[in-house]
Amino acid sequence: QVRLMESGGGTVKAGGSLRLSCSASQYTQSLAWFRQAPGEEREGVASWNTWDETRYADSVAGRFTVTADRNKNSLYLQMDNLKPEDTGLYICAAAHTRYALLYPPNYDEWGQGTQVTVSS
């Protein structure tokens, strides 16, 4: 079982930046970031796989960048030009398949999340 630990969340003003990190305990084919706001469904934000294929939600494309360090089994999310609607709990997930993309049912393990709050 893959264990995931996120870090890097915080509070920032609109237009600011944050960088999230996710450390996985072992190799996995796909990693992704999801987010969940109170009362809302979990939403896929960005995904990466070991073929270096990435996928972004339309709402963050052009503002967020997902990268990975294979040697460290780590995933990162650089978030720029943050908006209040980006507020939520950001959760890292791991999948044992190449095309897990941004669909929660495709993921096998989940972290506890790190909170991101963007003030206007």
Side-chain angles (χ1 to χ4, degrees):
Q1 185 176 4
V2 180
R3 294 184 300 277
L4 302 163
M5 182 172 294
E6 304 94 336
S7 62
T11 299
V12 65
K13 292 185 178 180
S17 298
L18 283 173
R19 185 174 187 255
L20 305 183
S21 298
C22 170
S23 177
S25 61
Q26 63 189 66
Y27 166 83
T28 183
Q29 292 191 37
S30 293
L31 290 167
W33 288 100
F34 291 80
R35 66 186 180 192
Q36 189 162 19
E40 301 288 334
E41 292 188 357
R42 189 165 292 185
E43 172 192 22
V45 175
S47 67
W48 170 91
N49 64 26
T50 55
W51 290 264
D52 272 334
E53 297 165 328
T54 59
R55 182 69 62 92
Y56 295 92
D58 289 344
S59 58
V60 307
R63 300 187 297 121
F64 291 10
T65 304
V66 64
T67 57
D69 183 332
R70 289 189 186 87
N71 293 331
K72 297 181 179 179
N73 291 326
S74 293
L75 186 74
Y76 307 98
L77 185 67
Q78 177 66 40
M79 305 186 295
D80 298 317
N81 190 21
L82 282 160
K83 303 176 180 180
E85 51 263 43
D86 294 319
T87 294
L89 183 68
Y90 282 68
I91 307 163
C92 183
H96 304 295
T97 181
R98 177 175 179 176
Y99 293 115
L101 303 178
L102 298 177
Y103 303 113
N106 291 345
Y107 286 81
D108 304 293
E109 280 91 27
W110 298 82
Q112 296 298 308
T114 184
Q115 179 67 36
V116 171
T117 302
V118 184
S119 61
S120 57

